[in-house]
Amino acid sequence: MQTAALLLARWNALPRSLRFAVTALLLAGLAFAAIAIALRHPSRVSLFPSPLHPEQLAEVEERLASWNVAFAPTNDNVAVDASRRNDLLLRLSLAGIPHAHLAGTGEALSTVGVLTPEAVVDAQTRAGLAGDIEAGLRGIEGVDDARVIVAPAKEPEYGDAAAHEASASVRLRLQPGAQLPKAAISGIRAFVAASVPGLAPAHIAILDDRGEALRDDAAGGDEAPDLQRSLQSALDSAFGAGATVVRVRPEYDASLYSQRDVRRMPVAGEAIERSRESESFDGGGKRYRRVDVGEDRGSETHEVVAQVPAGALVRLSAAVFVDRARSLDLPKVRDLAAATLGFDARRGDALTVEAVAFFHDAVSRRAAFWPIYGAIVTLAPAVAVSVALIVVARLALPPLSALAQSLLERSAVENTSRAVTGYAPSRVRSILEREPPHAAAAIISALPAATATAVLDLYPPHEREDIVRRMQRPHSPLVGNADELLRRGG
């Protein structure tokens, strides 16, 4: 408290002009800091014009975080820099984010009441079930979005009408460059079948975004991408990425075969069937006799029927292009490719390995000063601001320091003038013994004329001339003396 009181007393002892100047400088500094903070933190606006659902909001926040974009989450939207709103909306639209909201079973049945017709309840139940399935399919790797249509089982209304089993259609929108393997397609089929009561996996149609059916049986013929990826991965691991290019083309048999095998085994270990013939002729009696005897002792019959589905691999053709610049051992590349693909010459497989000159984009070489240029471009704004601050400081500090010095000198002169008022000229002269000429001139000017003349007479001639010259210093007709201005302001 004593320190604060002492500081307050010193502040009140300062001239009013000095206090005004210091207060103005502090206010200017605060205003500059406020402007800098406002410029550093631009205004934020809501990114989307309409509220988002929780799953959409989480999707948008995840993508903005992956793009390293500053945002402020709210309850149903995100706030971003107003200058980047249009750019972010365009990028999110190209990325397909956010996805359309999916109404699950709980949301679809939330409006069902006691008087709701049964047909409406069934329709909303199917819509909610389809939404739940679509939300589950979105989480599968490679699947960007899904659309599911469920057709429930229908019992015959009339005696001669046929019953309809439950079925479903699934349309998948895959991520760019993604391709689902057979195992993933089988998993999707099983997932949808288990989600709908009474739905058999055979009654599920799965399409991609181009309208082509995705099949998980042998006739699907999607072993080529798997074989190609497997061989490409093996070659990249052995010889480095970009050293080889692989293409695989399998050929499948589209015929459907049925094989039947029937076997009969005797029951008691004897022959299954035996026959005997006898023939006789009596010439006297003119009689002819023929006897045919057949015996069938029974057997055990075993019948085996085998169905061979279509899609059996008939022939495999593969081509491996090797970068000639790498100077790789082609026989080793061929052996590795044959072992990876399961090459079978008796089946008619073909494997070609050739060294060709790969096309490489010309790499532009940057000049040696490019890193220095990048550093200059990065630091240029900060350097420009620093230089501007230094220039402003160099221009503003001399007047401010001169003003402060004048204020301090004026305060000292006033204090000394009050102290020497009423003193004898000799006493005043002794007090001003160590004062510089300009301070002595200012103090003597404030004394009465008679006292000032007597004090000046006590100075040596050369010092007296210097003090008198400073007391009679000429001033500009446009700008008055600083001391005079301060005196008027005080």
Side-chain angles (χ1 to χ4, degrees), residues 51-237:
L52 299 178
H53 294 274
E55 73 277 4
Q56 294 176 323
L57 185 60
E59 190 177 10
V60 172
E61 291 179 357
E62 180 180 359
R63 184 54 62 95
L64 292 180
S66 65
W67 290 343
N68 197 20
V69 176
F71 65 93
T74 59
N75 293 331
D76 54 6
N77 214 319
V78 291
V80 298
D81 183 5
S83 61
R84 300 196 59 185
R85 180 174 181 269
N86 294 334
D87 177 55
L88 292 177
L89 287 176
L90 178 59
R91 293 181 63 183
L92 290 174
S93 176
L94 294 177
I97 295 175
H99 290 91
H101 172 62
L102 298 177
T105 304
E107 185 177 350
L109 298 179
S110 61
T111 58
V112 174
V114 179
L115 301 179
T116 304
E118 184 178 358
V120 176
V121 175
D122 293 340
Q124 292 183 347
T125 302
R126 291 196 303 271
L129 180 59
D132 293 337
I133 297 174
E134 292 169 1
L137 294 179
R138 282 182 179 178
I140 298 177
E141 182 180 1
V143 177
D144 184 61
D145 201 358
R147 184 75 173 92
V148 178
I149 301 176
V150 178
K154 184 178 181 181
E155 298 294 335
E157 298 180 358
Y158 304 99
D160 56 349
H164 297 280
E165 298 182 358
S167 61
S169 300
V170 180
R171 183 176 179 228
L172 303 176
R173 186 175 69 188
L174 304 181
Q175 296 176 355
Q179 188 171 8
L180 296 180
K182 290 183 179 180
I185 300 175
S186 300
I188 293 174
R189 191 182 302 276
F191 175 76
V192 177
S195 303
V196 181
L199 178 59
H203 295 163
I204 301 175
I206 303 177
L207 308 177
D208 61 4
D209 50 358
R210 298 172 300 177
E212 297 182 1
L214 301 178
R215 305 180 60 180
D216 51 352
D217 54 358
D222 62 348
E223 292 183 358
D226 297 337
L227 293 173
Q228 183 169 306
R229 283 194 296 268
S230 177
L231 179 55
Q232 187 68 67
S233 175
L235 295 176
D236 290 344
S237 301

Side-chain angles (χ1 to χ4, degrees), residues 14-15 18 402-413 415 486:
L14 294 176
L18 179 60
L403 178 61
Q405 185 177 2
S406 300
L407 291 174
L408 293 176
E409 291 179 356
R410 182 171 179 268
S411 177
V413 167
N415 294 333
L486 291 175

Side-chain angles (χ1 to χ4, degrees), residues 165-368:
E165 298 182 358
S167 61
S169 300
V170 180
R171 183 176 179 228
L172 303 176
R173 186 175 69 188
L174 304 181
Q175 296 176 355
Q179 188 171 8
L180 296 180
K182 290 183 179 180
I185 300 175
S186 300
I188 293 174
R189 191 182 302 276
F191 175 76
V192 177
S195 303
V196 181
L199 178 59
H203 295 163
I204 301 175
I206 303 177
L207 308 177
D208 61 4
D209 50 358
R210 298 172 300 177
E212 297 182 1
L214 301 178
R215 305 180 60 180
D216 51 352
D217 54 358
D222 62 348
E223 292 183 358
D226 297 337
L227 293 173
Q228 183 169 306
R229 283 194 296 268
S230 177
L231 179 55
Q232 187 68 67
S233 175
L235 295 176
D236 290 344
S237 301
F239 306 106
T244 58
V245 175
V246 177
R247 292 294 180 268
V248 178
R249 180 178 178 274
E251 297 179 9
Y252 300 94
D253 188 4
S255 303
L256 180 64
Y257 297 96
S258 177
Q259 183 177 0
R260 183 178 182 186
D261 186 9
V262 180
R263 294 184 181 182
R264 297 178 61 193
M265 302 294 295
V267 176
E270 299 181 0
I272 296 176
E273 182 179 1
R274 184 174 62 179
S275 60
R276 180 170 54 86
E277 297 181 0
S278 63
E279 185 177 6
S280 62
F281 176 73
D282 184 3
K286 303 295 184 181
R287 289 182 301 178
Y288 175 77
R289 182 182 179 184
R290 181 177 177 177
V291 180
D292 294 332
V293 179
E295 297 181 4
D296 191 345
R297 296 182 175 85
S299 63
E300 294 181 356
T301 304
H302 297 274
E303 182 176 357
V304 179
V305 179
Q307 296 284 346
V308 180
L313 183 62
V314 176
R315 186 172 181 269
L316 185 65
S317 302
V320 180
F321 306 95
V322 181
D323 189 0
R324 184 177 298 169
R326 300 291 185 96
S327 301
L328 301 181
D329 191 351
L330 297 185
K332 290 184 179 180
V333 175
R334 179 181 178 84
D335 294 341
L336 178 60
T340 304
L341 295 175
F343 179 78
D344 188 359
R346 294 174 298 179
R347 191 173 51 192
D349 294 352
L351 176 60
T352 303
V353 179
E354 294 290 342
V356 296
F358 281 15
F359 173 77
H360 299 281
D361 293 332
V363 179
S364 58
R365 294 185 177 181
R366 296 177 177 177

Side-chain angles (χ1 to χ4, degrees), residues 437 440-441 444 456 459 463-471:
I444 294 173
L456 288 174
Y459 277 92
E463 293 184 10
R464 183 169 58 250
E465 293 177 359
D466 192 7
I467 294 174
V468 171
R469 184 174 64 254
R470 291 180 181 272
M471 294 174 62

Side-chain angles (χ1 to χ4, degrees), residues 392-404:
V392 171
R394 289 292 302 273
L395 295 177
L397 282 179
L400 292 177
S401 61
L403 178 61

